[in-house]
C-alpha cells in the first residue's frame, strides 16, 4: 500500500506541475501576442515565449523522469529549473503587459523585479545538473567534491547579489537608463544601501565568477568519465552528445528572423533534457556510439556550408549582385559538400569507432605490420596493436598456451576471451576489453574473426619458432651428449684395452727368445683383447647407424631382424615394394621403430603372427605399419618406455606415430615419416 500511495502522490504531483507549466505557457503566449510591437527596447523586457519554450523543454522530460524515479535529484533539478524558466518568461510578459498595455493591473513591480533580479537563478541550473549527473550525487573524491561545492557557491553569488543590489547601482553599473514607466515601479524590496564604490568590485567579481565556475563542472565530468566503468561512461557520453549539439546550435550565425535562434535554442535544450532522461534511465545507452560521430559530422558540415555561403556572398556579392551571388554560393556548396561529407564521415568514424568500418584497410594495415615485424613476438605485438586501433579497444592480450605473450593498453573493465585456432588446433586465445560498453556488431565480429586468423598464423609462427629453438637446443645437447658418450667409450674401453694389447705384444717380443711359451700365451691374450676391441667397435658403430642398413638396405635389414624372431617361433611377414633411395635419418628411424615394435610383440603381445608393411605414400611420406594378432593393449594401460620411444623417433623427423588396438584384437603400430625432411636427398 505504501508504494501504491507514493505512486499516486507522485502521479498527482507531476500532473499538477504539468498543468501549471502548460497554463503559464499558454498565458505567456497570449500576453506576448497582446504586447507585440508595444514594448520599447529600453524596458529590457524580452518576449516570454522563448524562455517558456526552453522551460517546457526541461520541465516535460523532467516530469517524465520524476514519474519513474521520484527521488532522483536530477529529475527534480530538471523539473524545477524548467518551471523557473517558465515563470521567468511569464514574469517578463506579465510585466510588459501590466506596464504598457494595462497599467491598472497589479503585480507589475513584482513581475519586473522577478524577471530582472531573481531570474539570474537560472544560471545555477546547468552547473548543478552537470555536477549531479548521472546518479544524483556529487563526486566522491574529496578534492573534486570541495571544488564542486565552491563552484556552486560562486555561481549562486550573482543571483544572491542581484536580490539586494539597489536599482540605481544596477543602472550605473550597466550604463543604461530605464524608461520612466519602469523607474516608477517598486524595484528595491530587499536592497542594501551600500555605496557604489563597494558594489562595483563585488559585482565585477560575481559576474566573472559565473564564467569561471562553469569550468569546474566540465572538469568534474572529465574526472567522472576517466574513473567510471563502462555503463557510467556510456551515460556521460550522452551528456557529451547533448553538449556537442548545443555547441553547434550556438555557433550557427542565425540572426534574422530573431525567432529562429530562440527556437533552435529551445530544441537544443529539449535534446539535452532528453539525453539526460535517457542516460539516467539507462535506455538504449550504447546507441550513443553511432549517434556521436553522425552529430559531429553533420554539425561540422552545417558550419562549413554556412561559412562557404558567407564567404561566397562576401566575395561575389559586390561583383555579381545578390541573386548571382546566391546561385554561386549554391553551386560552390554543391561541389564541396559531397566529397567533404564523405571525407569527414570517414575521419569521424575512424576517430570514434576505429578502422573497423574499413575492413580492407584494417587487414592491409595488419599485413603490412606483420610483414615488417622482425620476429614472432613483434608479429604478436602488431596483431594486438591493430586490434586495439581497429575496434578502439583499451586493452588487448594475445596468449599462447597458458602464458601471456603480449599486451597492449591497460585493462579497464570486464574482458572477453576468444580462442585462436590454426588448422583445427587451438594455439592460444585473444583477451579483449571492449571498454565503454561498446558492443560488437555482426560485421565487427566477422572482421574480428578475419584478424583472429591472422593472429592465429602469427601465434603459430611464434609457437613454431619457440619449438624450433627448443629443438635446436635439444639437437645441440643430444649431439654433445653423443660425443661425450663416444669419447667416454673410446677413452674408458678402447683406449685401455688397446694400451694393454700393446704392452702384451711388447712383453711377448721380449720373451720370444728366452721363454717362447710365455710369449705365445701373451700373444693369445693380446688376440683375445683385440677381438673384444673389435666387438666394442662394432657395437659403437651399430649404435651410430646399423651397418645392415648400408650393407643390405632398409627392407632386407628389417628382414634380417625378422629372421631372429622367426627362430624364436614368431611368424613374421614383411611386405615392401622397392622403396628407392631414402634419407639416412628416415632409414634409421624406420629400422629402429620396426625393431622396437617387433620386440614389443615378442615380449608383451602373446602373438603368433606379425605383419610388417612398408610403402612410399603421397607427400611424400614413408608409411610403416606393424600389425600383430596378440592380446592388444588395454585403454587403461599407460604408455611405457618402448611406446614413448616410437613416438619420439617419429616426432624427431616431423612424423606421426599411432598405436591402436582394433576391436577384433591385436595391436597396430602406424608410422608416417616425411621424406622431404632431409632435402639433400633426391627421391625417385
Amino acid at each position: 500500500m505504501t508504494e501504491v500511495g507514493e505512486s499516486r502522490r507522485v502521479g498527482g504531483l507531476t500532473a499538477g506541475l504539468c498543468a501549471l507549466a502548460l497554463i503559464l505557457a499558454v498565458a505567456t503566449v497570449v500576453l506576448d501576442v497582446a504586447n507585440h510591437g508595444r514594448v520599447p527596447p529600453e524596458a529590457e523586457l524580452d518576449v516570454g515565449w522563448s524562455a517558456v519554450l526552453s522551460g517546457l523543454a526541461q520541465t516535460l522530460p523532467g516530469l517524465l523522469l520524476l514519474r519513474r524515479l521520484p527521488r532522483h535529484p536530477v529529475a527534480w533539478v530538471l523539473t524545477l529549473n524548467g518551471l523557473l524558466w517558465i515563470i521567468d518568461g511569464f514574469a517578463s510578459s506579465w510585466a510588459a503587459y501590466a506596464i504598457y498595455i494595462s497599467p491598472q493591473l497589479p503585480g507589475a513591480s513584482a513581475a519586473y523585479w522577478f524577471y530582472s533580479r531573481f531570474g539570474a537563478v537560472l544560471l545555477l541550473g546547468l552547473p548543478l545538473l552537470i555536477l549531479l549527473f548521472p546518479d544524483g550525487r556529487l563526486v566522491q573524491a574529496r578534492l573534486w567534491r570541495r571544488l564542486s561545492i565552491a563552484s556552486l557557491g560562486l555561481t549562486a553569488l550573482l543571483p544572491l547579489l542581484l536580490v539586494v543590489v539597489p536599482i540605481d547601482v544596477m543602472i550605473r553599473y550597466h550604463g543604461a537608463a530605464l524608461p520612466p514607466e519602469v523607474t516608477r515601479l517598486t524595484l528595491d524590496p530587499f536592497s542594501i544601501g551600500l555605496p557604489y564604490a563597494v558594489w562595483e568590485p563585488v559585482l565585477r567579481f560575481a559576474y566573472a565568477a559565473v564564467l569561471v565556475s562553469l569550468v569546474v563542472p566540465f572538469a568534474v565530468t572529465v574526472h567522472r568519465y576517466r574513473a567510471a566503468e563502462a555503463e557510467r561512461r556510456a551515460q556521460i557520453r550522452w551528456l557529451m552528445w547533448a553538449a556537442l549539439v548545443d555547441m553547434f546550435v550556438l555557433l550557427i550565425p542565425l540572426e534574422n528572423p530573431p525567432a529562429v535562434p530562440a527556437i533552435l535554442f529551445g530544441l537544443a535544450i529539449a535534446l539535452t533534457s532528453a539525453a539526460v532522461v535517457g542516460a539516467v534511465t539507462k535506455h538504449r545507452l550504447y546507441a550513443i556510439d553511432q549517434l556521436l560521430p553522425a552529430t559531429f559530422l553533420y554539425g561540422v558540415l552545417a558550419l562549413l556550408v554556412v561559412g562557404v555561403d558567407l564567404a561566397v556572398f562576401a566575395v561575389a556579392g559586390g561583383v555579381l549582385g545578390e541573386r548571382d551571388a546566391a546561385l554561386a554560393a549554391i553551386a560552390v556548396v554543391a561541389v564541396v559538400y559531397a566529397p567533404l561529407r564523405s571525407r569527414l564521415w570517414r575521419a569521424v568514424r575512424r576517430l570514434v569507432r576505429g578502422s573497423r568500418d574499413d575492413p580492407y584497410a584494417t587487414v592491409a594495415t595488419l599485413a603490412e605490420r606483420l610483414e615488417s615485424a622482425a620476429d614472432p613476438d613483434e608479429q604478436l605485438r602488431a596483431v594486438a596493436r591493430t586490434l586495439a586501433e581497429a575496434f578502439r579497444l583499451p586493452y588487448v592480450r594475445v596468449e599462447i598456451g597458458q602464458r601471456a605473450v603480449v599486451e597492449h593498453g591497460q585493462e579497464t573493465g570486464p574482458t572477453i576471451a576468444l580462442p585462436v585456432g590454426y588448422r583445427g588446433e587451438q594455439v592460444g586465445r585473444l583477451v579483449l576489453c571492449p571498454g565503454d560498453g561498446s558492443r560488437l556488431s555482426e560485421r565487427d565480429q566477422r572482421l574480428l574473426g578475419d584478424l583472429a586468423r591472422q593472429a592465429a598464423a602469427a601465434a603459430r609462427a611464434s609457437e613454431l619458432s619457440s619449438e624450433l629453438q627448443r629443438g635446436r637446443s635439444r639437437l645441440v645437447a643430444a649431439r654433445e651428449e653423443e660425443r661425450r658418450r663416444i669419447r667416454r667409450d673410446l677413452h674408458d674401453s678402447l683406449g685401455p684395452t688397446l694400451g694393454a694389447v700393446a704392452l702384451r705384444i711388447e712383453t711377448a717380443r721380449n720373451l720370444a727368445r728366452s721363454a717362447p711359451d710365455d710369449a705365445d700365451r701373451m700373444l693369445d691374450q693380446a688376440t683375445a683383447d683385440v677381438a673384444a676391441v673389435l666387438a666394442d667397435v662394432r657395437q659403437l658403430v651399430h649404435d651410430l647407424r646399423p651397418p645392415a642398413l648400408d650393407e643390405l638396405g632398409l627392407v632386407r635389414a628389417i628382414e634380417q631382424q625378422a629372421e631372429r624372431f622367426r627362430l624364436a617361433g614368431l611368424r613374421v611377414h614383411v611386405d615392401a615394394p622397392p622403396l628407392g633411395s631414402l634419407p639416412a635419418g628416415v632409414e634409421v628411424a624406420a629400422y629402429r621403430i620396426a625393431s622396437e615394435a617387433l620386440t614389443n610383440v615378442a615380449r608383451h603381445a602373446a602373438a603368433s603372427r606379425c605383419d610388417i608393411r612398408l610403402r612410399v605414400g603421397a607427400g611424400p611420406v614413408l608409411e610403416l605399419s606393424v600389425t600383430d594378432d596378440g592380446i592388444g593393449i588395454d585403454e587403461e594401460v599407460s604408455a611405457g618406455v618402448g611406446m614413448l620411444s616410437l613416438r619420439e623417433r617419429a616426432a624427431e623427423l616431423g612424423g606421426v606415430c599411432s598405436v591402436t588396438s582394433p576391436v577384433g584384437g591385436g595391436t597396430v603400430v602406424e608410422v608416417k615419416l616425411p621424406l622431404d625432411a632431409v632435402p639433400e636427398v633426391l627421391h625417385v
Side-chain angles (χ1 to χ4, degrees):
M1 293 296 294
T2 303
E3 293 182 0
V4 174
E6 182 179 2
S7 177
R8 288 180 178 176
R9 287 194 298 272
V10 171
L13 177 62
T14 55
L17 293 176
C18 182
L20 175 62
L22 293 177
I23 291 172
L24 290 176
V26 172
T28 302
V29 173
V30 172
L31 292 172
D32 285 340
V33 172
N35 296 334
H36 183 66
R38 304 169 72 175
V39 180
E42 305 86 51
E44 297 184 358
L45 290 169
D46 295 328
V47 291
W49 69 265
S50 60
V52 167
L53 179 62
S54 300
L56 289 175
Q58 300 173 71
T59 302
L60 297 181
L63 291 174
L64 292 176
L65 184 59
L66 199 61
R67 287 184 63 88
R68 182 167 181 177
L69 301 171
R71 299 182 181 180
H72 203 293
V74 170
W76 283 103
V77 170
L78 200 59
T79 302
L80 295 179
N81 194 61
L83 285 173
L84 188 59
W85 276 76
I86 295 173
I87 295 172
D88 187 71
F90 174 78
S92 174
S93 299
W94 180 263
Y97 187 83
I99 293 172
Y100 292 100
I101 308 302
S102 257
Q104 72 279 6
L105 289 177
S109 297
Y112 192 91
W113 176 87
F114 184 92
Y115 172 75
S116 61
R117 304 294 187 88
F118 196 77
V121 177
L122 297 175
L123 297 172
L124 195 60
L126 179 61
L128 182 60
L129 181 67
I130 295 175
L131 291 174
L132 293 179
F133 182 85
D135 57 1
R137 295 190 296 269
L138 293 177
V139 66
Q140 297 298 316
R142 180 176 299 178
L143 174 62
W144 290 103
R145 192 179 187 88
R146 291 177 177 175
L147 288 174
S148 300
I149 296 174
S151 172
L152 292 175
L154 290 174
T155 308
L157 179 60
L158 180 62
L160 292 176
L161 288 177
L162 293 181
V163 171
V164 297
V165 174
I167 187 62
D168 58 335
V169 172
M170 294 298 299
I171 293 174
R172 181 177 177 184
Y173 182 83
H174 290 289
L178 294 175
E181 298 87 357
V182 175
T183 56
R184 288 197 298 265
L185 301 174
T186 303
L187 301 179
D188 290 326
F190 308 106
S191 63
I192 299 175
L194 295 176
Y196 181 78
V198 176
W199 282 116
E200 194 266 343
V202 174
L203 288 173
R204 287 187 182 276
F205 176 79
Y207 278 105
V210 172
L211 299 177
V212 174
S213 65
L214 294 178
V215 177
V216 174
F218 173 77
V220 168
T221 303
V222 173
H223 168 74
R224 282 184 187 267
Y225 187 85
R226 295 181 62 182
E229 297 180 351
E231 187 177 70
R232 180 61 54 82
R233 287 192 172 191
Q235 289 177 298
I236 296 175
R237 283 203 300 275
W238 273 100
L239 190 63
M240 293 167 53
W241 171 77
L244 187 65
V245 173
D246 295 342
M247 181 189 70
F248 284 128
V249 170
L250 294 175
L251 288 177
I252 295 177
L254 291 175
E255 304 227 346
N256 291 311
V260 174
I263 294 174
L264 289 179
F265 184 71
L267 291 177
I269 291 181
L271 287 176
T272 302
S273 302
V276 170
V277 173
V280 171
T281 58
K282 302 178 182 179
H283 177 68
R284 299 187 66 180
L285 278 180
Y286 302 117
I288 191 62
D289 294 327
Q290 288 76 37
L291 193 58
L292 262 176
T295 303
F296 183 83
L297 169 69
Y298 290 108
V300 171
L301 284 175
L303 292 178
L304 289 177
V305 167
V306 172
V308 169
D309 277 339
L310 294 177
V312 172
F313 270 112
V315 174
V319 179
L320 303 177
E322 184 175 346
R323 179 176 176 277
D324 293 337
L327 295 176
I330 294 173
V332 171
V333 169
V335 172
V336 172
Y337 177 79
L340 186 62
R341 177 189 180 279
S342 178
R343 292 185 180 182
L344 276 176
W345 177 251
R346 288 196 299 267
V348 173
R349 295 283 287 186
R350 181 178 291 271
L351 179 65
V352 176
R353 289 174 46 82
S355 59
R356 68 180 77 178
D357 293 327
D358 190 356
Y360 177 79
T362 303
V363 175
T365 299
L366 178 59
E368 182 180 354
R369 290 175 177 173
L370 291 177
E371 184 179 358
S372 60
D375 53 56
D377 287 342
E378 187 65 28
Q379 288 184 335
L380 295 181
R381 280 190 286 271
V383 171
R385 177 185 170 192
T386 304
L387 285 175
E389 293 176 354
F391 294 92
R392 280 294 182 263
L393 301 173
Y395 177 74
V396 177
R397 183 169 75 247
V398 183
E399 295 182 356
I400 300 299
Q402 299 298 321
R403 63 186 181 91
V405 178
V406 295
E407 292 180 307
H408 182 89
Q410 294 183 349
E411 190 173 345
T412 59
T415 60
I416 57 175
L418 303 175
V420 176
Y422 185 75
R423 295 183 178 178
E425 176 187 359
Q426 183 173 341
V427 297
R429 65 175 189 161
L430 292 175
V431 180
L432 312 175
C433 181
D436 300 339
S438 57
R439 293 176 291 183
L440 299 177
S441 65
E442 183 178 351
R443 180 183 181 186
D444 294 340
Q445 294 178 21
R446 288 197 300 270
L447 175 59
L448 186 59
D450 294 337
L451 297 178
R453 281 190 284 273
Q454 299 288 337
R460 186 57 176 168
S462 177
E463 186 69 12
L464 291 177
S465 176
S466 300
E467 290 180 1
L468 178 60
Q469 185 59 42
R470 290 193 296 268
R472 288 174 176 173
S473 301
R474 288 196 299 268
L475 285 175
V476 172
R479 182 189 65 192
E480 296 303 320
E481 187 63 31
E482 186 69 14
R483 288 178 176 179
R484 180 187 300 173
R485 185 186 67 81
I486 295 173
R487 176 183 178 279
R488 185 174 59 248
D489 291 344
L490 293 175
H491 181 271
D492 297 342
S493 178
L494 296 180
T497 303
L498 291 176
V501 169
L503 289 176
R504 293 182 190 281
I505 293 175
E506 185 65 27
T507 303
R509 289 181 60 189
N510 294 334
L511 296 175
R513 293 183 180 180
S514 60
D517 294 336
D518 293 338
D520 288 341
R521 284 196 302 274
M522 289 290 181
L523 292 175
D524 289 339
Q525 293 177 359
T527 301
D529 290 341
V530 170
V533 169
L534 289 175
D536 290 342
V537 170
R538 290 193 184 96
Q539 183 61 41
L540 184 62
V541 171
H542 185 274
D543 290 341
L544 294 176
R545 176 177 170 85
L549 291 176
D550 295 326
E551 297 170 0
L552 305 175
L554 176 60
V555 177
R556 293 183 60 191
I558 294 177
E559 280 278 7
Q560 187 183 68
Q561 283 285 81
E563 188 62 31
R564 293 176 47 238
F565 290 93
R566 292 191 187 107
L567 295 176
L570 179 65
R571 290 180 296 161
V572 182
H573 174 69
V574 180
D575 178 15
L579 301 178
S581 178
L582 299 176
V586 174
E587 285 185 333
V588 172
Y591 179 78
R592 300 287 192 199
I593 291 172
S595 300
E596 182 67 31
L598 280 172
T599 302
N600 290 336
V601 171
R603 289 180 179 177
H604 309 294
S608 61
R609 178 181 175 85
C610 179
D611 295 324
I612 301 176
R613 183 174 178 273
L614 288 162
R615 291 287 187 278
V616 174
V621 295
L622 177 64
E623 299 175 353
L624 167 64
S625 65
V626 180
T627 307
D628 64 67
D629 60 354
I631 59 176
I633 301 176
D634 194 344
E635 294 181 357
E636 298 180 356
V637 176
S638 59
V641 176
M643 292 298 179
L644 293 177
S645 175
L646 298 180
R647 294 189 176 97
E648 288 178 355
R649 289 186 183 278
E652 287 175 353
L653 296 178
V656 292
C657 174
S658 64
V659 181
T660 58
S661 294
V663 179
T667 303
V668 178
V669 178
E670 293 181 316
V671 180
K672 291 184 178 181
L673 303 174
L675 298 181
D676 54 0
V678 184
E680 66 270 14
V681 177
L682 180 63
H683 308 293
V684 294

